[in-house]
Amino acid sequence: MKRRILAVMGALVVAFTLAAPARADTRWTLVKSHPHDATAFTEGLFYLDGALYESTGLEGRSDIRKVALRTGKILHRRIIERPYFGEGIVNWKDRLVSLTWRHGQGFVWRLSDFAPLSGFRYDGEGWGLTQDGTNLIMSDGTAQLRFLDPDSLAERRRVTVTWNGRMVDRLNELEYVKGEVWANIWYDTRIARIDPATGAVIDWIDIAPLRKAAGVTDSEAVANGIAYDAKADRIFITGKNWPKLFEIRVGQ
Ligand code: DDQ
Ligand code: CA
């Protein structure tokens, strides 16, 4: 009898340990689906004043575009020439800052017409970008987030992202949402909700049903792209080569 109780307790411990890393407790509901350019290998996404801004990757196919939310139509576009592989984008004042994947090269563009303004360098890879009103926040494929001065683009500090004491790497597209940094994880359908002060993951949001709803099957067609409309409190979600962009509502 005693042995049986111990076995049950042991099984519970094992089950809990296995379940813990996969927990994705933040509940969400689908509000609306919008069209999205299925040829866009989405690397960056943000929402500003009624429009979406998106960047795409792959060498020779990269660009920065302003997109109409309802139709998915490209309103304005700037090609990122070879050999660059376009990565994260973010707005700062009247500018748009963009990263490239493995060239350590960042660019600053005029937000209104994407005219080139300047360039800057950084160490390591460039993946996602967002901003908290004071810093640009950058991911580089590791478990670290960098905080940059938005004007000089110099690094101010870094934080390591962890979940239950374990590093969470492959942090990809980013979005600052109500004091948290939300991050896609490359090859994962879970979004990490990160406390930017400590790097601790507060919770996970599993958007696997959205990838299913998008109907993509290619292994590179991963979830990537989170945009937040702060004024209307709307979250937009898409992925690389997804034919759809989803608005979701997230509960606590
Ligand atoms: N990154 O976005 C995770 C930073 C890089 C993605 C690189 C994916 C290359 C896939 C090549 C597929 C060729 C069709
Ligand atoms: Ca974003």
Side-chain angles (χ1 to χ4, degrees):
M1 190 63 191
K2 218 172 189 176
R3 203 181 285 169
R4 219 155 101 190
I5 290 169
L6 281 175
V8 168
M9 278 170 63
L12 281 174
V13 168
V14 168
F16 181 76
T17 311
L18 288 175
R23 268 171 64 189
D25 291 340
T26 300
R27 292 175 174 279
W28 56 268
T29 48
L30 177 61
V31 177
K32 233 177 251 175
S33 300
H34 297 283
H36 178 250
D37 178 1
T39 69
F41 199 76
T42 308
E43 296 288 3
L45 192 74
F46 67 85
Y47 179 93
L48 186 68
D49 296 335
L52 286 162
Y53 291 79
E54 180 169 2
S55 60
T56 67
L58 299 174
E59 202 183 311
R61 284 185 47 196
S62 298
D63 68 9
I64 291 167
R65 46 179 73 187
K66 184 177 179 179
V67 178
L69 172 64
R70 272 185 338 108
T71 61
K73 291 256 154 61
I74 297 177
L75 304 171
H76 192 63
R77 179 168 187 244
R78 177 105 203 172
I79 288 174
I80 309 287
E81 305 282 354
R82 281 177 190 278
Y84 298 114
F85 185 120
E87 285 286 344
I89 51 168
V90 70
N91 64 302
W92 182 256
K93 299 177 183 165
D94 57 352
R95 308 190 285 270
L96 184 149
V97 179
S98 77
L99 301 176
T100 59
W101 184 20
R102 284 180 161 160
H103 286 86
Q105 182 65 51
F107 297 108
V108 183
W109 314 88
R110 194 158 60 203
L111 184 63
S112 60
D113 60 358
F114 301 161
L117 297 178
S118 57
F120 63 103
R121 305 282 310 166
Y122 48 84
D123 295 329
E125 297 189 4
W127 287 42
L129 264 185
T130 190
Q131 55 122 324
D132 61 7
T134 309
N135 308 281
L136 301 192
I137 305 171
M138 168 180 169
S139 65
D140 60 11
T142 71
Q144 295 198 316
L145 289 176
R146 308 179 189 186
F147 295 77
L148 314 181
D149 180 312
D151 292 301
S152 71
L153 299 159
E155 191 177 319
R156 286 173 168 159
R157 69 181 178 97
R158 283 182 192 215
V159 77
T160 301
V161 175
T162 57
W163 167 244
N164 287 340
R166 273 189 234 159
M167 288 204 272
V168 178
D169 63 2
R170 290 177 285 125
L171 301 171
N172 207 356
E173 217 278 328
L174 305 175
E175 190 69 21
Y176 189 76
V177 183
K178 291 185 271 192
E180 301 175 2
V181 177
W182 290 14
N184 287 115
I185 314 288
W186 195 24
Y187 290 129
D188 203 313
T189 53
R190 295 169 310 155
I191 290 171
R193 294 173 50 192
I194 302 158
D195 175 353
T198 62
V201 174
I202 300 156
D203 204 2
W204 298 91
I205 309 170
D206 193 349
I207 55 161
L210 294 181
R211 187 168 187 272
K212 208 163 182 193
V216 290
T217 49
D218 189 289
S219 62
E220 293 299 332
V222 294
N224 204 38
I226 312 165
Y228 183 52
D229 170 8
K231 278 183 202 139
D233 194 24
R234 296 187 292 176
I235 303 279
F236 300 105
I237 300 286
T238 195
K240 297 178 182 185
N241 299 129
W242 287 20
K244 288 186 175 142
L245 178 140
F246 302 99
E247 181 191 334
I248 62 166
R249 186 171 298 126
V250 172
Q252 286 313 305

